[in-house]
Amino acid sequence: MPKKILNQNQTPLYSAIINYTAEGTIPFHVPGHKQGRGNKELTDILGQNCINMDLTCMEDLDNICNPVSAIKEAEELAAQLYGADKAYFLVNGTTSGIQAMIMSVCEPGDKIILPRNVHKSAIGGIILSGAKPVYVHTEINEQFGIAMGVKTEDIAAALESNPDAKAVFLMNPIYYGIASNLKEIVSLAHSYNIPVIVDEAHGAHLVFDERLPQSSMEAGADLAASSTHKLGGSLTQSSLLLLQGSLINPQKLKATLNLTQTTSPSYILLASLDIARKQLALKGQQMIEDTYELAIWAGERIKKIEGVQVMDEEVLNYQGSYAYDPTKIVINVRDLGLSGYDVEKILRKKYHIQVELSDLFNIIILVSLGDNKETLSILIDALAEIAKGQKLHNVFKYFVPLPAIPESVISPRDAFYAETGPVPLCEAEGEISAEMIMAYPPGIPIICPGERITQDVIDYVNILKKETAELQGTEDPDMVNIKVLKNRLVLVQNEEKLNQEAI
Ligand SMILES: Cc1ncc(COP(=O)(O)O)c(C=O)c1O
């Protein structure tokens, strides 16, 4: 039966919120600030309209755990806009959606096929679910020093060796805007009856411009978590989880989502999803097309600056990069003799410009619905001035080869919950890591919980430290120590003791 076309002019949830205040309802419920009366300073700062919207679940405002009215209607509108069968509002960021996606398809010990350069929320989902990751190699772009998408052949090989996998997990696109051939991978995975679940944190806008990589739902993926707050115009933390097809059990998905989401959703965030969806439905195509043109305009100008390179369609010559999103302007600054971190700092301190992300070689400029030629011209002029002041030389003489994916000894979950202790990283060869080390570039976990630390991993981390690359993931902020599994530690200590006694 054809689906009823819904009226995208409506904002059922936002309207319910407005009705609540318009009726002059006296609140004897949380939040305890009671429409701001209990916190005047906060009300003055945020404004009365905003604080009035900070409400809680009740009959007319629906309940996020089991929506039957206003939230359900708002979710149906979002589903229709994105071409999904169902949409779920998320208020704990895309992270909660990614965790729920993985937990709803994988039980402890189940395999999940995924690229190595996933966001840490996916590793979190793997730890929570107890899944066993089967990593797929990602091509490294040496010019930009980053990991790209995955090749369909590599997913095919992983599926052939692991036909019992419970899901293929992909990013569409990666942080740097590069997308794999999602449609091809989806049909391949579906031929094994395996669902494809997608981290679409950077893809809320894809569906509105054909020149952008294809969206997960258009490519036939089963599940996707999409950060409406990043590129769709809603407030930070508000995202969508999209579902289609019959490979995922919606009841299990919703039950899992109720584990990863709060029972006290912010109605300000929920309303922002409803309002952003309406804007995207009515004006999204024009707005995203304009954004695309603007980004191309800016990228062309930045390219003319001597000493910088801008990622463009040439990136498609790399295997595993099937499409790319130019609204993320990836600017390589290595020929300026500056790192991306340096340029980020100069832009911020001297020009009051903040970039989206910097790494050893690049900065990323995010062009979105809120930008215009005026703001971008300020950036272009600032970059030109920085470049003019630099002697052109490449300080990073070689590209540091990435160590091989280390041997996985136990599951990330078992490593996470095992007894652990810190050891100096320089002495950690052979230990089983209980932590993840993540570096930009190339945006790949160098070691994950449960993997054996190799000398190559230690050397690589030391090289990145020397280059002042940003390393994240260990409890020790300086990454001098790494948490490893204690059993192995005790074994080593006992061995040392025995050796000493023998001497
Ligand atoms: C690739 C990717 N996936 C997932 C996330 C998590 O999204 P959120 O911050 O909405 O939880 C991010 C956040 O930056 C991301 O970059």
Side-chain angles (χ1 to χ4, degrees), residues 43-305:
T43 309
D44 289 344
I45 291 168
L46 293 184
Q48 192 64 53
N49 277 346
C50 181
I51 209 107
N52 280 350
M53 287 168 61
D54 191 29
L55 296 166
T56 190
C57 302
M58 64 188 75
E59 197 179 343
D60 47 337
L61 297 185
D62 212 354
N63 188 314
I64 199 165
C65 297
N66 180 27
V68 290
S69 55
I71 294 179
K72 182 168 178 269
E73 286 167 36
E75 288 181 339
E76 283 168 357
L77 284 158
Q80 194 155 90
L81 177 65
Y82 280 97
D85 293 339
K86 263 179 123 17
Y88 304 87
F89 280 6
L90 305 174
V91 288
N92 292 51
T94 296
T95 296
S96 65
I98 289 174
Q99 290 170 351
M101 289 199 300
I102 297 175
M103 288 165 77
S104 69
V105 290
C106 288
E107 292 181 4
D110 284 344
K111 291 180 192 164
I112 182 166
I113 296 170
L114 71 169
R116 184 69 175 177
N117 57 339
V118 287
H119 184 256
K120 57 185 167 198
S121 53
I123 304 292
I126 286 170
I127 291 173
L128 290 169
S129 64
K132 238 176 101 188
V134 176
Y135 290 113
V136 174
H137 170 77
T138 45
E139 191 85 6
I140 303 287
N141 177 325
E142 297 199 355
Q143 184 197 351
F144 286 86
I146 55 174
M148 318 282 285
V150 285
K151 286 188 283 180
T152 308
E153 300 94 274
D154 289 336
I155 297 285
L159 282 165
E160 206 173 292
S161 325
N162 302 278
D164 54 340
K166 292 292 187 256
V168 172
F169 180 99
L170 285 178
M171 293 154 90
N172 189 50
I174 64 165
Y175 209 151
Y176 294 83
I178 294 140
S180 313
N181 190 342
L182 189 56
K183 195 170 183 174
E184 204 172 72
I185 293 171
V186 166
S187 67
L188 186 65
H190 283 178
S191 70
Y192 286 80
N193 225 18
I194 294 177
V196 175
I197 61 180
V198 181
D199 171 353
E200 209 160 48
H202 299 282
H205 62 318
L206 298 182
V207 78
F208 301 102
D209 192 324
E210 280 181 351
R211 294 167 293 183
L212 291 168
Q214 195 173 36
S215 77
S216 56
M217 291 295 112
E218 287 173 314
D222 303 271
L223 257 182
S226 164
S227 293
T228 321
H229 70 92
K230 288 194 200 295
L231 296 166
S234 67
L235 292 180
T236 296
Q237 273 189 231
S238 63
S239 295
L240 287 175
L241 184 60
L242 304 168
L243 165 72
Q244 72 178 347
S246 56
L247 292 182
I248 305 281
N249 174 345
Q251 283 81 25
K252 172 121 189 250
L253 177 67
K254 183 61 182 153
T256 317
L257 198 53
N258 286 345
L259 299 179
T260 64
Q261 285 236 89
T262 176
T263 51
S264 308
S266 157
Y267 273 77
I268 301 174
L269 298 186
L270 291 174
S272 83
L273 279 170
D274 206 17
I275 297 163
R277 184 271 314 146
K278 178 184 164 193
Q279 171 171 271
L280 286 170
L282 302 184
K283 303 185 206 150
Q285 192 178 341
Q286 189 61 56
M287 290 177 95
I288 301 299
E289 281 174 8
D290 290 350
T291 303
Y292 188 99
E293 299 297 338
L294 188 63
I296 296 287
W297 174 87
E300 290 303 323
R301 269 149 193 82
I302 296 169
K303 257 187 210 171
K304 291 197 180 116
I305 300 172

Side-chain angles (χ1 to χ4, degrees), residues 273-338:
L273 279 170
D274 206 17
I275 297 163
R277 184 271 314 146
K278 178 184 164 193
Q279 171 171 271
L280 286 170
L282 302 184
K283 303 185 206 150
Q285 192 178 341
Q286 189 61 56
M287 290 177 95
I288 301 299
E289 281 174 8
D290 290 350
T291 303
Y292 188 99
E293 299 297 338
L294 188 63
I296 296 287
W297 174 87
E300 290 303 323
R301 269 149 193 82
I302 296 169
K303 257 187 210 171
K304 291 197 180 116
I305 300 172
E306 208 184 345
V308 303
Q309 286 169 16
V310 174
M311 189 181 282
D312 58 16
E313 55 285 344
E314 272 184 35
V315 77
L316 304 180
N317 295 333
Y318 276 81
Q319 292 189 322
S321 42
Y322 179 73
Y324 91 108
D325 173 6
T327 68
K328 297 215 153 178
I329 310 182
V330 182
I331 306 170
N332 187 295
V333 294
R334 57 195 286 183
D335 290 344
L336 293 179
L338 294 169

